[in-house]
């Protein structure tokens, strides 16, 4: 991966997340939506989903749709989530990623109170290329655009932390297609160090088996899934993202091994 530490903050952050590439044939002005200046794809921002009214709607939708659906299709066991209660402020929540179930399962595990001010990073050039993906994903899940090209999309992450929002980030940069955890990228560590907030490691066990990539619905029989929260990790004085990242990755790996 390109060295990040020699770049300006927003560009360095954006390059730390290898987000989904533009779909084949979806060039500027293609089916994904209108293009912006210079032929770049327009990003449909959804800052409104973090307003007080939208947050109230999201909380209600998650209670009446997300939780019942997750509990009907899956058996979810949650361990250690109480570690979040002592933080007293925002955090960067990181987890392994191998299924589209990972985000809803993690939000369900957090519970209504803890997830109230949680935003989920999503690829700006896929989830936010058209309004009909950005609006519902933001309203129901709480996603925000993370633009791999830098600019305002990258700045959003730091601003959300400054405003007291915790962020869910999958540092592998995309789903694992084997179920095995892949090396972590530096973006989550950089964000935590820049914002002076802790990182909360999370291990998701069983989501790959319940709904692997290319499967569109959980397997029958209410598969068992465990969500294990670890103790918060704090950046050390003078520590850089390249040094903090292996500590975060090791913490998630240990949680996985013991879950």
């Amino acid at each position: 991966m390109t060295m990040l530490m020699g770049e300006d903050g927003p560009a360095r952050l954006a390059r730390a997340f290898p987000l989904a590439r533009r779909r084949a044939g979806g060039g500027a002005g293609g089916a994904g939506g209108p293009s912006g200046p210079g032929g770049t794809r327009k990003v449909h921002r959804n800052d409104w989903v973090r307003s007080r009214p939208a947050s109230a709607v999201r909380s209600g939708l998650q209670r009446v749709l997300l939780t019942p659906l997750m509990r009907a299709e899956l058996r979810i066991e949650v361990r250690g989530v109480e570690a979040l209660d002592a933080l007293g402020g925002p955090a960067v929540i990181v987890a392994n990623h191998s299924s589209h179930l990972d985000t809803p399962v993690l939000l369900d595990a957090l519970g209504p109170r803890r997830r109230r001010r949680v935003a989920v990073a999503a690829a700006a050039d896929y989830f936010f290329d058209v309004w009909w993906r950005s609006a519902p994903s933001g309203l129901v899940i709480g996603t925000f655009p993370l633009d791999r090209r830098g600019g305002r999309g990258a700045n959003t992450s730091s601003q959300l932390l400054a405003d007291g929002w915790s962020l869910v980030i999958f540092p592998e940069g995309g789903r694992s297609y084997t179920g095995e955890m892949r090396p972590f990228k530096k973006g989550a560590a950089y964000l935590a160090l820049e914002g002076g907030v802790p990182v909360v490691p999370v291990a998701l066990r069983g989501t790959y088996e319940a709904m692997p990539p290319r499967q569109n619905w959980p397997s029958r029989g209410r598969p068992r899934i465990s969500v294990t929260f670890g103790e918060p990790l704090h950046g050390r004085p003078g520590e850089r993202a390249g040094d903090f990242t292996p500590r975060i990755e090791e913490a998630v790996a240990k949680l996985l091994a013991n879950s």
Side-chain angles (χ1 to χ4, degrees), residues 63-115:
R63 283 177 180 269
V64 302
L65 293 178
L66 177 70
T67 296
L69 180 60
M70 290 294 100
R71 299 294 169 160
E73 298 294 331
L74 307 165
R75 288 175 290 170
I76 302 175
E77 299 176 353
V78 182
R79 306 184 186 98
V81 69
E82 299 81 8
L84 291 169
D85 296 336
L87 293 181
V92 177
I93 302 170
V94 303
N96 56 301
H97 191 26
S98 59
S99 171
H100 279 317
L101 283 176
D102 292 335
T103 296
V105 163
L106 182 50
L107 290 175
D108 179 79
L110 287 171
R113 177 177 56 82
R114 299 185 188 94
R115 68 180 176 231

Side-chain angles (χ1 to χ4, degrees), residues 34 39 52 56 92-93 112 129 131 134 149 156 174 195 198 213-214 223 228 256:
R52 185 170 296 179
V92 177
I93 302 170
D129 60 345
W131 70 267
S134 67
R149 294 178 295 272
T156 301
R214 301 187 182 92
T228 307
L256 269 175

Side-chain angles (χ1 to χ4, degrees), residues 210-221:
M211 197 173 86
R214 301 187 182 92
Q215 185 171 312
N216 296 321
W217 197 257
S219 301
R220 296 180 178 180

Side-chain angles (χ1 to χ4, degrees), residues 150-237:
R152 292 181 63 197
N155 288 331
T156 301
S157 306
S158 297
Q159 187 60 55
L160 285 171
L161 286 173
D163 290 342
W165 288 79
S166 292
L167 307 182
V168 170
I169 294 175
F170 298 104
E172 292 165 84
R175 288 175 296 161
S176 166
Y177 276 73
T178 65
E180 298 295 322
M181 196 173 80
R182 299 185 299 170
F184 281 11
K185 309 304 179 183
K186 298 178 184 178
Y190 173 80
L191 264 177
L193 293 172
E194 181 189 52
V197 301
V199 171
V200 178
V202 183
L204 300 170
R205 169 75 70 182
T207 55
Y208 178 83
E209 291 76 12
M211 197 173 86
R214 301 187 182 92
Q215 185 171 312
N216 296 321
W217 197 257
S219 301
R220 296 180 178 180
R222 296 186 67 220
R224 186 181 301 276
I225 291 174
S226 67
V227 185
T228 307
F229 293 80
E231 291 297 320
L233 303 173
H234 297 267
R236 297 164 179 164

